[in-house]
Amino acid sequence: MIRIKNAGLLSSIQDFGRIGFKKFGMPTAGVMDKFAYVVSQFLVQNDEFDGVIETTIVGVEIEFFEDMIICVTGAQNELFINGDKKELWKAHLVNQGDVLLLKNATNGARNYIAFSKKMSLKKINSSLSTYLKSNIGGFHGRALQNDDEIEFEQNYKIYKPINLPKNFIPLYKQKESIKVVLGPEKDAFSDKGIYTFLNSTYNITQSCDRMGYRLSGEKIEHKNGADIISNAVFFGSIQVPNSGEPIILMADAQTTGGYTKIATILPSELPKVGQLKGGDKISFVEVSNEEAQDIEIKYQKYIYELQQILKKQISIYDIKVNGVSYNVVVEDKNSCKFQKL
């Protein structure tokens, strides 16, 4: 079990989201930064992706009542366990009685606390994700509060401190240039409107949350107004209402919307957007459908390469036999290779 001593500004249980239920009107929810989430699961050696605590800007304090492996990924931050400073993007062993303290984020907005044990929480539509607007999933369907206690299933893993290569750790910025594909209603905008969208820098207003980011800046011109018959929207859809100022739909976005959509953000770019906050700036760069496909293929290869690098670390152990030190490489479940140090 863990106890939330300080829940911070907005902390909730999230995972990859509720996939496959939009046709029933169920939003996907899930983490805002999928890259930080996926890496957190790699680092605590989870074979199946499980629930994490997603924090927002303000850090948290957690007390542990059992031993487990944890790691914290995401926004630039300071992490302490029992007052000792620890690295982010690295697995750590915590013991019963330990206290984790995560300070406020500096660059970036969201951190992810992953655990090697599964949370004993009920899944809804195959997901632990909290959808705050409807009080569904996670911990009683709400944000975490002080003194909440979360129980875990018992499972055991050999602790192996895994180091994430520094070049894989993202550097979050307060101004991002984000790749988009124009559409699906790009024909609803004038040439001037499209030009304005692609050549302006927008401010993320304080009206930003897990559902969407309202932007302020140059007005985008429609041909005949913004209203359309409601159709599907997604995490990364960019709507432009009659005000002419864009709205980026985020992880908790509704399933349909009745405003024209000028563009869609590439999935590989969404982690950067998920780390932006009110007061940060954003601009947009158009890529073609073909370029977008190439970018996404390269991104998936990048994730796979990272996974293989970390798997190699998991399979190497240092042991002593009769006073002699060896590296032991676990090649598969049936064989090991010993190399004398």
Side-chain angles (χ1 to χ4, degrees):
M1 185 181 75
I2 62 172
R3 181 169 68 88
I4 309 298
K5 297 185 70 175
N6 186 335
L9 177 65
L10 174 61
S11 301
S12 62
I13 306 298
Q14 301 292 342
D15 59 18
F16 214 78
R18 253 167 222 98
I19 308 300
F21 296 93
K22 276 182 171 287
K23 61 185 176 183
F24 303 113
M26 174 64 77
T28 304
V31 294
M32 293 274 274
D33 179 346
K34 284 187 169 65
F35 179 79
Y37 169 71
V38 166
V39 174
S40 77
Q41 298 301 292
F42 290 164
L43 290 173
V44 297
Q45 305 171 38
N46 282 343
D47 296 324
E48 297 180 8
F49 290 178
D50 201 45
V52 296
I53 294 177
E54 178 186 85
T55 67
T56 308
I57 303 175
V58 177
V60 296
E61 188 173 11
I62 299 172
E63 183 178 4
F64 291 82
F65 289 84
E66 57 182 304
D67 303 347
M68 65 178 76
I69 304 165
I70 64 98
C71 80
V72 181
T73 61
Q76 276 90 59
N77 213 324
E78 288 187 320
L79 170 67
F80 298 87
I81 298 176
N82 297 333
D84 296 328
K85 191 171 183 178
K86 301 293 183 180
E87 291 184 52
L88 272 68
W89 302 89
K90 183 176 180 179
H92 301 285
L93 177 65
V94 293
N95 299 302
Q96 181 179 354
D98 285 353
V99 175
L100 176 152
L101 175 63
L102 183 66
K103 296 281 191 173
N104 297 350
T106 52
N107 286 330
R110 292 172 175 84
N111 287 100
Y112 296 90
I113 306 172
F115 309 90
S116 60
K117 298 185 177 184
K118 292 183 178 295
M119 298 178 181
S120 296
L121 296 172
K122 182 180 178 181
K123 289 188 176 183
I124 296 177
N125 298 135
S126 304
S127 173
L128 288 180
S129 285
T130 311
Y131 180 53
L132 297 167
K133 302 290 184 181
S134 296
N135 300 116
I136 291 171
F139 191 84
H140 304 308
R142 60 167 170 77
L144 295 174
Q145 299 174 2
N146 295 353
D147 296 322
D148 281 345
E149 295 179 345
I150 302 171
E151 295 184 351
F152 289 80
E153 299 175 8
Q154 290 297 326
N155 66 331
Y156 301 92
K157 293 180 181 176
I158 298 174
Y159 170 63
K160 177 68 179 177
I162 308 172
N163 293 305
L164 182 69
K166 298 294 185 184
N167 59 299
F168 283 95
I169 299 176
L171 296 175
Y172 301 114
K173 304 173 185 176
Q174 296 176 342
K175 181 179 180 180
E176 292 284 4
S177 180
I178 299 298
K179 297 181 182 69
V180 300
V181 173
L182 289 181
E185 285 97 39
K186 66 178 181 179
D187 292 339
F189 299 90
S190 67
D191 291 342
K192 178 183 176 183
I194 297 292
Y195 180 87
T196 299
F197 173 69
L198 295 173
N199 291 275
S200 300
T201 297
Y202 290 91
N203 296 307
I204 297 177
T205 70
Q206 297 304 321
S207 181
C208 62
D209 59 16
R210 285 182 45 87
M211 189 172 185
Y213 292 177
R214 288 186 177 272
L215 309 182
S216 64
E218 294 294 322
K219 305 294 190 295
I220 297 170
E221 184 178 80
H222 294 85
K223 289 179 180 176
N224 297 298
D227 295 334
I228 59 171
I229 296 173
S230 291
N231 59 21
V233 297
F234 302 93
F235 187 2
S237 295
I238 304 177
Q239 293 181 320
V240 183
N242 281 308
S243 68
E245 293 182 311
I247 300 170
I248 303 174
L249 299 184
M250 301 301 289
D252 282 0
Q254 70 277 17
T255 58
T256 62
Y259 293 136
T260 47
K261 295 177 289 296
I262 194 169
T264 303
I265 295 172
L266 272 59
S268 57
E269 297 281 88
L270 288 173
K272 291 190 289 187
V273 181
Q275 289 290 352
L276 294 171
K277 58 188 179 299
D280 290 345
K281 299 180 183 299
I282 189 169
S283 59
F284 303 99
V285 178
E286 179 190 6
V287 298
S288 67
N289 286 329
E290 293 75 16
E291 289 172 324
Q293 290 169 2
D294 288 342
I295 291 168
E296 294 308 306
I297 290 170
K298 288 178 182 178
Y299 181 70
Q300 292 305 319
K301 288 180 178 178
Y302 179 80
I303 298 292
Y304 178 77
E305 177 190 351
L306 172 58
Q307 186 179 28
Q308 298 312 303
I309 290 172
L310 296 180
K311 278 185 175 180
K312 287 180 181 178
Q313 290 190 47
I314 294 171
S315 62
I316 300 175
Y317 295 86
D318 301 327
I319 68 169
K320 277 189 176 181
V321 179
N322 295 328
V324 180
S325 296
Y326 296 87
N327 272 148
V328 182
V329 180
V330 181
E331 296 183 324
D332 56 45
K333 66 181 180 180
N334 297 314
S335 67
C336 296
K337 182 186 291 183
F338 285 69
Q339 180 179 351
K340 187 181 293 186
L341 294 176

